[in-house]
Structures are given as C-alpha cells and as structure tokens.
Amino acid sequence: MKLGSTEEKSGGGCSLPTEVSPPALQQAFSKILHGLSRQESSGQGNAGNAALRDLGALIEATECDKLFEGTGGGGSPREMPEILGQVAKALEKFAAPKEKADGSEEHPEVPEKATEVGLLFLKLLGKVETAKSSPVCPAWKTGLRHLSGPTYIFAITHRLKQPWTSPKSQHVAGEVLSLLFRVTECSSVAEFLCGENKDDRGRFAVVLGLLKPHLNKETWKKNPAVKHVFSWTLQQVTQPWLSQHLEKILPPSLLISDDYQTDNKVLGVQCLHHIVINVPAADLLQYNRAQVLYHALFNHLYMPEHRLIQAVLLCLLDLFPVLEKALHWQGEAARASTHCHEVLQLVLTHMESEHRLLLRRTYARNLPAFVKKLGILTARHLKRLEQVILGYLEVYDEPEDESRLKILETLKLVMQYTWPRIPCRVVVLLKALLKLICDIARDTIPTTEAAKSAVLQEATDCLILLDHCSQGQVKGLVEGVDGEVVDVAILKNTETTFSCAWASHFPASSALPPCYLSPGAT
C-alpha cells in the first residue's frame, strides 16, 4: 500500500499520514517508542508528552486490519502485534511512579501522566473491540495477547487510592480495567488471571513475567507500585492454580517481607500467608520450603510492631499443620507440635513484659487459637500461662476491654483442656476473677456498658468451670470470702449471679457436660 498524500501534524511536530503503509506504521511506532524511552532516560517531559500525542493520533488514523495484521515490510505476520506489546509496555512504564531520591511518597506528576496514558489504552482496547466484530481482521486475538499484560498492570497500579493517584486517574484506570475484561470476555479478575477452564491458562504467568524484572533485590523499590500490584494480583489467585507458579511467587514474597520497613514486612507476610493456605502441603514441604517460611516468620516475632505480629501469628497458625505433616511422615509423631510450642513460648515471654496496649491486645487476641491448637499439651506451658492470665486480668483495655475478654476466653479453654491441673490453682484464679468482678461492679473502669456486660459474662462462665474443675470448692470459697476484702453488697451480688448462672447452665445435673471437657477427658 502506498502512502496517502494527505498528512496531519501532531502536537510533537511529527508528520503522521492519514493512510499508513505497514513499513511507515512500524517506523512511526518506533519513533514513538524512542520518544518515550528518551523521556525515561533523560527526564524530558516534553518528549514524552509529544510521543503520547503522536501515538493517540496514530491509533485514531490506523485501521484495525493494519494495526493488528501489518508485517512491517516483509516481517513475520506477528510483527505488528509484538510492536503493539512493546508500545503497551512503554506506556505502562511511562505512567508508573518512580522512587524519589529524598524518600518522599508523594508523586504529584504521576496522576496527569496516568490519565493521558489511560486514555491511550482505552483507544487501543477500543480498536480491539472493533476488530472483534469485523470479519476481515482475525488477528486481533494475537494483538490482545500482547496488550493484556501491560494494560492490566497499568490498571491495577492506578485504580486504587495511592500516593501516586488522583480521583481522575483512578476513574480512567477503572475504565481501562472494565474494557479489558470486556474484550477478553472475563467476568472477574480471577477469571482473567486463571482462565475459565483447563484449555484457557489465563494470564497470571504473563503478568508475573512482566513483573519479574522489577521484583529482584536491586529493582523492587525503584517502582513503589510494583509490590502492591504483585500482592494484590497474587491474592486473586487461589488453589489449585497457584501451586504451579510457586517458584515465581515465593522469592518476591520473602524479599518484600524481609525489608526494614514495617509496611513492607506486613505486605510480604500477607503474601506468604496467601501462599500457605492456597498451595498444597506437599509442594510447600518440597525442597524444605516450609522450614524456610517458618524461620522467616519466626524472626519477625522479635519486632515490636502490632500489625506485623498479627499477620505473622495468623500465618504461623496455618503453617503449623504443614510442618506437623512433615514430622508425621518422618515417624516423629511425639514431636509434631514442636514448632507451635516454640512460638507459644516466645509469645508468652513477650506477653509477660509487654506494656504497650496495642501489642498486649494483639497477643491476647491470638492466644486462644494457640491453646486450641495444642489442646491438652497446653499443660506444658501452664505455669507461664497462669502468670500471663493473672497479669492481663488486672489491666483494663479501654474502651472495649478486648484484651481481658480474650484472656478470659483463654482461661476457659485452659481449664477445659487441662482440668486435672486446675484444683491446685483454684484459690489464685478465684481471687483474680473476684477482683475483676468487683472492679467492674464498682464502675472504677472506664469501659462501655456492653464491654462490662461481656466481661462479667465471661468471668461468670470461668467461675462455673473453675467450680467444676475443683469439684465444688468455688462455692464454699466464695461464701467464706472476708467482707473486708470484697464489699459485702458486691459479694452477695456475685454469689447471686454465680448461683443463677449455675442454674441456667446446669439445671438438672452437677456433672460437667461434654462441651466443657477437653477431648482427652471424655
């Protein structure tokens, strides 16, 4: 095809023909790529803006058949789709935020660039949508395969509120993602990434391939959006599709979690947690991956950051069954809970001396799960658990008193699982529970009424369990409490509450019901 005689001038001064032959089209795209790369290397904003204007004009002036089927003058039939893929990668890179030399998180120049680039992606995808309905342009599928990966990364980078986005750029990015799903005929992100069936492998591998160069030790901080795109994308892929990509997703997750910044640590641990719960145990145990994960997570427990501790403990609780399975396979059933014991021992050590309320709340929130996990083996930690429980019951946690509620829940579980060891501790535990009830009844604690009611209910349940474990000692001890220690009115109220609660729980039997017994006691 010969060049037409009519030409138009773009904003950058480059002549763009209204009818473009394949060689000229390839040359025009090459000039645009050169302009974008020159802006990337030299920071010349004018060159990049001119290239964007030229690209917009070129896309509008080019018919679908030439855009997707052009061969660039004797090249292979796939040459133009590959060029479009290179253009899409350059556009995504042009709009991506860059690391600031001063460490600032603000990127005031990025939203405007992202908006312009988003409009160009909309034009490219619009051409694909037009080509889908045209019988003379069957090569749109090849073009879409090269466009989809960079387009997805651009949309995920800019669609959520971040330091490098604005409401306008978020809106444009959302439109790009919606149009991308429409032309790929996907109803969700998961379908886009994983595919609809076995024949459709999805685009997760393509996206990981594009992110990989930016997720190594030297480059992952140069683009502050990469870690968020990786994390968000990873968490959209679940089993059974995730395991086949384990070699590609595990190293970046470990790298992010090993950073010195708490936000990055938390993000990395969340990625590791997603991997743990969505990859089969056999794959995690292969090449000792599970042990690597365990040691990486265990070291984070020494960091006094409540958000990090919360993420790590949740991940470890899901990792324990994987580690136990390995020990069972080795015939070491007696040591199957070794890792859980190690973590609980360290957690109790930190709880004993912790004074920061957020960390106390985080430790208390997760303590019941460890007791449930160990069951009767909790008896190994009973002495230290007793000290932690007594210490935490003395300190209120306004306004919802979450720490004491979780500690009371822990105490109930401990009494259920280790009831033979409770009678020798009945006096100490009873004093702590009565003191707690008196503090609540005297209104000396600035908590909400709902929290007070919940604490009283939990404390009453603990008294009932304590009485059962001690074969009725609690009733006699409560009746014999000195009025100088506990106000008489409060004591009588406690006795009445205790008796009513007892009757409502066990109206016809004094035996401990099965639901209050540990599995080993029935």
Side-chain angles (χ1 to χ4, degrees):
M1 178 182 291
K2 295 182 179 180
L3 291 175
S5 57
T6 306
E7 294 184 347
E8 58 181 34
K9 288 281 185 178
S10 72
C14 176
S15 297
L16 296 174
T18 55
E19 295 184 8
V20 191
S21 65
L25 188 61
Q26 184 187 33
Q27 185 178 11
F29 275 119
S30 298
K31 288 182 179 179
I32 291 169
L33 285 171
H34 178 69
L36 291 174
S37 61
R38 184 173 60 180
Q39 188 276 339
E40 180 73 21
S41 59
S42 63
Q44 298 177 359
N46 293 334
N49 294 333
L52 294 182
R53 289 192 292 270
D54 290 345
L55 180 59
L58 183 60
I59 294 172
E60 291 178 355
T62 307
E63 297 296 331
C64 295
D65 57 340
K66 300 181 182 67
L67 193 62
F68 297 113
E69 295 183 351
T71 61
S76 65
R78 297 181 61 184
E79 188 171 346
M80 274 310 302
E82 290 175 359
I83 291 175
L84 286 178
Q86 293 175 5
V87 170
K89 291 177 185 177
L91 288 174
E92 185 275 320
K93 188 176 182 180
F94 178 81
K98 309 296 187 296
E99 182 185 25
K100 293 295 185 71
D102 58 358
S104 173
E105 294 185 355
E106 299 300 322
H107 302 268
E109 76 287 350
V110 173
E112 183 178 354
K113 292 197 298 184
T115 302
E116 295 179 8
V117 169
L119 294 175
L120 291 176
F121 273 120
L122 288 173
K123 289 182 180 180
L124 282 170
L125 292 175
K127 290 289 185 178
V128 175
E129 193 172 31
T130 302
K132 285 180 66 177
S133 58
S134 173
V136 298
C137 186
W140 64 269
K141 290 185 179 180
T142 306
L144 180 59
R145 188 161 55 247
H146 287 83
L147 287 173
S148 59
T151 305
Y152 169 85
I153 293 175
F154 165 82
I156 301 303
T157 299
H158 299 280
R159 67 185 289 266
L160 298 177
K161 186 177 181 180
Q162 298 286 359
W164 54 85
T165 62
S166 66
K168 186 176 181 180
S169 65
Q170 289 175 241
H171 176 71
V172 172
E175 289 186 341
V176 170
L177 190 63
S178 299
L179 183 54
L180 177 63
F181 288 168
R182 191 160 70 242
V183 298
T184 55
E185 298 179 356
C186 296
S187 58
S188 65
V189 177
E191 184 180 341
F192 175 83
L193 294 171
C194 304
E196 188 176 4
N197 49 53
K198 293 181 179 179
D199 297 330
D200 183 9
R201 296 184 178 182
R203 299 159 186 85
F204 186 48
V206 174
V207 173
L208 288 178
L210 293 172
L211 293 176
K212 184 178 179 180
H214 309 287
L215 283 172
N216 57 55
K217 189 175 181 179
E218 289 74 26
T219 61
W220 76 278
K221 285 195 171 183
K222 292 182 178 180
N223 179 353
V226 165
K227 59 188 178 186
H228 295 287
V229 175
F230 171 77
S231 172
W232 193 88
T233 301
L234 172 65
Q235 296 183 49
Q236 308 309 306
V237 182
T238 56
Q239 57 181 346
W241 295 278
L242 198 60
S243 58
Q244 58 185 305
H245 305 287
L246 187 56
E247 292 290 344
K248 297 178 181 178
I249 59 178
L250 189 56
S253 300
L254 288 168
L255 176 66
I256 297 172
S257 71
D258 196 37
D259 190 50
Y260 68 93
Q261 293 180 324
T262 301
D263 289 342
N264 291 336
K265 286 179 181 289
V266 174
L267 193 67
V269 171
Q270 290 171 345
C271 292
L272 294 176
H273 191 188
H274 185 78
I275 292 172
V276 168
I277 61 180
N278 285 284
V279 173
D283 292 329
L284 290 175
L285 293 172
Q286 193 176 21
Y287 306 120
N288 218 26
R289 294 187 184 110
Q291 283 291 340
V292 172
L293 286 173
Y294 172 73
H295 289 297
L297 293 167
F298 188 83
N299 290 335
H300 287 315
L301 292 175
Y302 291 96
M303 296 292 297
E305 297 288 345
H306 68 98
R307 291 187 298 116
L308 178 61
I309 296 296
Q310 176 66 27
V312 169
L313 291 178
L314 290 177
C315 186
L316 282 171
L317 285 167
D318 285 319
L319 183 61
F320 290 148
V322 178
L323 297 167
E324 291 169 8
K325 187 169 291 188
L327 293 175
H328 280 304
W329 288 348
Q330 297 170 11
E332 300 181 29
R335 295 174 50 227
S337 301
T338 299
H339 300 92
C340 190
H341 284 298
E342 290 177 349
V343 174
L344 181 57
Q345 184 177 359
L346 182 60
V347 167
L348 292 174
T349 299
H350 291 165
M351 291 183 75
E352 287 175 340
S353 58
E354 188 55 62
H355 64 278
R356 286 161 287 196
L357 287 178
L358 288 176
L359 274 169
R360 289 170 64 92
R361 193 179 299 162
T362 301
Y363 288 130
R365 185 185 302 132
N366 292 279
L367 197 55
F370 281 88
V371 176
K372 289 179 182 178
K373 176 66 183 171
L374 289 175
I376 197 170
L377 296 179
T378 307
R380 187 181 300 181
H381 307 274
L382 197 52
K383 186 175 181 180
R384 301 187 68 192
L385 269 170
E386 178 188 337
Q387 297 302 316
V388 167
I389 290 171
L390 295 176
Y392 274 59
L393 287 180
E394 292 180 355
V395 181
Y396 69 88
D397 178 18
E398 61 181 0
E400 300 299 330
D401 224 352
E402 181 184 354
S403 294
R404 291 205 292 196
L405 283 170
K406 287 299 180 181
I407 287 297
L408 287 169
E409 180 184 347
T410 302
L411 177 57
K412 285 165 57 177
L413 290 168
V414 168
M415 288 191 290
Q416 290 175 37
Y417 285 114
T418 64
W419 58 271
R421 301 276 188 94
I422 298 301
C424 62
R425 295 174 167 84
V426 64
V427 175
V428 175
L429 294 175
L430 179 59
K431 285 182 178 179
L433 290 171
L434 288 178
K435 183 178 184 300
L436 172 62
I437 292 173
C438 290
D439 289 343
I440 295 290
R442 288 169 178 158
D443 284 331
T444 59
I445 301 173
T447 56
T448 63
E449 290 300 321
K452 290 180 181 179
S453 177
V455 171
L456 284 173
Q457 182 61 50
E458 289 291 320
T460 303
D461 291 343
C462 287
L463 284 173
I464 294 170
L465 272 173
L466 188 61
D467 190 71
H468 269 296
C469 292
S470 62
Q471 298 180 349
Q473 294 182 39
V474 169
K475 282 186 177 180
L477 290 171
V478 169
E479 292 171 357
V481 172
D482 189 351
E484 295 179 1
V485 180
V486 181
D487 291 350
V488 176
I490 295 174
L491 180 58
K492 289 182 178 179
N493 183 53
T494 301
E495 291 178 7
T496 304
T497 303
F498 178 70
S499 299
C500 293
W502 180 286
S504 64
H505 276 75
F506 318 119
S509 174
S510 60
L512 189 60
C515 63
Y516 282 90
L517 289 173
S518 67
T522 54

